[in-house]
Amino acid sequence: MDMEGLQEKLVPAFEWFHRHPELGYAEFETTARIREILAGLGVEILDTGLETGLVARIGNAGIRSGKPVVALRGDIDGLPITEDSGLPYASETPGRMHACGHDFHTTAILGAAILLAEKKATLPGTVKLIFQPAEETAGGAAKVLATGALDDVREIYGLHVSPDLPPGQIGVSPGATFAAVGGFKITIRGKGGHAGYPHLTRDPIIALGQIIATAQSIVSRNANPFDPSVVSITHVEGGNTWNVIPPEAFIEGTIRSLGTEKYKCIAERLGEIVKGVELTSGTRIDYTWNMSSPAIDNDPALAVFVADTAQELGLAAGPSIPCMGGEDFSLYQQRIKGVFWNIGIGGAEGIHHPRFIAGPAPLSSAASLLARLAEKALVRLSST
Ligand SMILES: [Zn+2]
Ligand SMILES: [Zn+2]
């Protein structure tokens, strides 16, 4: 199929997905539509037990045949945002919007399916197509991995739209391009009392202030200035009136770092600060942190492979723009060698904005790149 024909097929599908955004694990209509399109192409859908999202397969039998398996991943969920784009195909549901371009990713993977299905008989292996639920809530990738459907996959490829790149331009870099992301909670238990008699209390508000102030030294004094990271305190609570020292106070916030190990160091350093304040304030402090997704960790050779293949297809390719957002594609990369790149869509507003627009113009390029990468990866893997 030529690029024009492909684009003509993809635009109506994209507009349908854009009109029908659904939140993580509620992507029932979206999944039904994807199933329908794949069934029309004669593509096999695997029995994974996933309630929403799916994994499909094109090509020859899996690992037992000795032939390689690679995967292409798109995510399918929308966000709890009311769309204000003014598009003729804007969301039909108030409070739901495809504001992160997952409708674009879904359509691009379907486009790759169209191209790969045409070559099904000659593919030197199998391509698995992942339509992942619940990326925004960061649980979907783990759920797909838990099905075992990717156990035989040797390389995995994924993309994300970027409003910061011109339409159709590819941004790809080795290593961390999306941050390790997570949060922390700190509960300070002191001893409340009359504000005029502080010596009879263990003031949790002072401890809270010390933690907030000292936490700012982690990025500025402990982290390497060449390793971007963020500690943001976003929620504090303590007390409810002017003349009472409360018994408890609470802090929560987020840590982000372009490196999974660096993230852990920052989280542990915050724990040491908390311990120090606990000791000097005489309060008891509970500190917990989590990492909802590790950093994207692009395989250097595969990053070059994506840039070279994009250029072969006539697409401009440069480095990606590092992002302090998280992406649970990183969970696949902890088990499977993989690469995640950006494709430019232009546009005035950033992702997660009510006026965000992922223009459909680069859809056929995105699909061709995905299909070409899968095909070339199978050829390379079957000859080694
Ligand atoms: Zn998002
Ligand atoms: Zn996204």
Side-chain angles (χ1 to χ4, degrees), residues 38 42-46 54-59 120:
L38 291 174
V43 171
E44 179 193 0
I45 295 165
L46 300 182
L54 61 89
V55 182
R57 172 163 69 185
I58 300 177
K120 189 173 169 177

Side-chain angles (χ1 to χ4, degrees), residues 94-350:
R96 301 281 181 275
M97 179 183 176
H98 270 298
C100 202
H102 298 187
D103 46 353
F104 185 106
H105 308 155
T106 301
T107 314
I109 302 287
L110 287 168
I114 294 174
L115 298 173
L116 291 165
E118 284 176 350
K119 300 189 171 176
K120 189 173 169 177
T122 55
L123 281 178
T126 298
V127 183
K128 287 191 171 170
L129 308 167
I130 305 163
F131 295 89
Q132 183 202 304
E135 191 284 323
E136 295 291 355
T137 43
K143 203 157 189 169
V144 172
L145 280 164
T147 66
L150 307 186
D151 287 357
D152 55 0
V153 172
R154 289 174 61 188
E155 291 181 3
I156 185 163
Y157 296 84
L159 79 171
H160 204 291
V161 295
S162 170
D164 299 322
L165 294 172
Q169 184 168 319
I170 302 301
V172 61
S173 299
T177 54
F178 280 68
V181 171
F184 56 85
K185 291 184 198 295
I186 301 169
T187 303
I188 308 163
R189 295 191 176 85
K191 184 175 172 229
H194 195 297
Y197 300 82
H199 57 296
L200 302 177
T201 72
R202 302 257 186 219
D203 188 349
I205 300 287
I206 298 298
L208 175 145
Q210 286 170 340
I211 292 170
I212 293 173
T214 316
Q216 306 315 307
S217 71
I218 301 175
V219 171
S220 71
R221 301 295 90 179
N222 303 130
N224 184 330
F226 294 101
D227 293 337
S229 42
V230 174
V231 176
S232 288
I233 289 165
T234 53
H235 176 195
V236 296
E237 275 179 43
N240 58 7
T241 187
W242 69 286
N243 58 356
V244 176
I245 290 170
E248 257 185 49
F250 175 77
I251 302 173
E252 80 179 310
T254 183
I255 302 172
R256 275 136 203 272
S257 180
L258 284 178
T260 305
E261 283 311 308
K262 289 168 222 155
Y263 182 101
K264 288 181 187 160
C265 291
I266 290 169
E268 281 162 14
R269 180 67 190 144
L270 182 55
E272 287 166 4
I273 289 169
V274 166
K275 272 261 163 300
V277 172
E278 185 177 55
L279 196 69
T280 53
S281 66
T283 59
R284 278 191 303 111
I285 310 184
D286 289 332
Y287 168 64
T288 56
W289 62 273
N290 68 61
M291 183 162 52
S292 48
S293 56
I296 287 288
D297 187 11
N298 285 334
D299 181 84
L302 292 188
V304 173
F305 176 53
V306 169
D308 287 351
T309 308
Q311 280 161 351
E312 263 172 48
L313 294 172
L315 302 172
S320 60
I321 298 165
C323 168
M324 277 296 169
E327 235 301 337
D328 71 1
F329 185 84
S330 57
L331 291 177
Y332 301 114
Q333 289 179 315
Q334 290 197 319
R335 293 223 214 142
I336 307 163
K337 197 197 263 196
V339 59
F340 192 69
W341 64 91
N342 287 123
I343 179 158
I345 45 153
E349 300 295 350

